[in-house]
Amino acid sequence: MLFAISILAPCITLGCRSAPRAERACPAGFRADEARRATILAKLGEAPVGADTRDRALAKEKVTFCFGRLGVSSVTTSGVVLVDEALATSEAAARVGHLLTHVAEGLRVEPREGSDESCEVVTTRALAAEAKALSIELGLRRAFGVSPADARVRYAFESDFWATPEQAREALVLAYLRAHPDGAPGIDALASGYARRCREARDASSAR
């Protein structure tokens, strides 16, 4: 999941917020659907990790859910969750669990202020967060009975994920993300996108 660039965002990272914000408007092409939102959040409550992620994210932010057509459901830099309306409830809930992990825990894609950390370090940290969130999503897919063969979004590494010992699964996902910097089925161009955004943030900071 690559964070969508949004004109609603005053900063480039979810980790930079200090206080909850008011609910935001949906971008063009998307609409709010309170009934669908409630159904997805209720579904998340059926799995302990889903309930925990949901509750931590909603306690931190006033999260706006918007539904429309898009290839990869994502969350904007301002915390708007964009959900593909074609996803069935169980698959949508698993994906939302992934996205709310980023809201709850933050995802920094720029160097920390005053630090000299490289964009390679920043990108590695962001990819590790993505690997964790994807692992949570896959766990929720299984908990909710989403069959890889029937899912709208299919991950090429899903069967290998479940064949791998539990303690090594996140590492497997991380290796996959590193091997596909420009994206893959169901995966945005994460590594290349985060590296580019880090460089842009650094250039903007240097220009001040």
Side-chain angles (χ1 to χ4, degrees):
M1 184 287 308
L2 178 62
F3 274 51
I5 299 299
S6 169
I7 61 173
L8 301 175
C11 62
I12 200 170
T13 168
L14 285 178
C16 67
R17 302 191 186 108
S18 59
R21 299 180 189 159
E23 191 164 353
R24 306 152 187 85
C26 290
F30 291 83
R31 57 183 173 76
D33 186 332
E34 183 56 36
R36 186 88 198 276
R37 173 185 183 275
T39 298
I40 288 172
L41 292 178
K43 187 69 180 180
L44 276 173
E46 295 178 11
V49 68
D52 175 68
T53 300
R54 175 199 64 190
D55 294 346
R56 287 189 296 118
L58 297 185
K60 179 180 179 181
E61 281 289 330
K62 180 69 173 179
V63 181
T64 299
F65 288 80
C66 301
F67 298 86
R69 298 304 296 268
L70 73 166
V72 180
S73 298
S74 59
V75 58
T76 71
T77 50
S78 60
V80 177
V81 175
L82 304 176
V83 183
D84 181 6
E85 63 186 6
L87 294 178
T89 296
S90 292
E91 188 174 355
R95 182 64 182 179
V96 168
H98 169 151
L99 302 178
L100 291 183
T101 298
H102 294 314
V103 175
E105 300 183 358
L107 181 60
R108 179 172 289 278
V109 292
E110 63 178 357
R112 291 188 174 94
E113 188 173 354
S115 77
D116 60 354
E117 60 185 2
S118 68
C119 283
E120 181 179 357
V121 169
V122 172
T123 300
T124 296
R125 184 172 61 232
L127 289 180
E130 289 288 2
K132 176 181 179 179
L134 275 163
S135 296
I136 288 173
E137 179 181 350
L138 291 178
L140 289 171
R141 280 161 71 107
R142 174 163 283 196
F144 298 152
V146 178
S147 166
D150 297 330
R152 179 174 175 81
V153 176
R154 300 181 183 182
Y155 297 118
F157 54 86
E158 189 162 2
S159 60
D160 290 339
F161 179 87
W162 292 113
T164 299
E166 183 175 1
Q167 66 273 19
R169 288 172 183 164
E170 279 188 33
L172 179 144
V173 178
L174 179 57
Y176 183 88
L177 297 179
R178 286 174 170 163
H180 298 82
D182 297 317
I187 303 290
D188 281 322
L190 296 175
S192 61
Y194 287 144
R196 183 187 68 253
R197 287 176 55 194
C198 178
R199 291 192 299 269
E200 290 172 351
R202 172 161 288 171
D203 290 345
S205 178
S206 299
R208 294 191 189 115

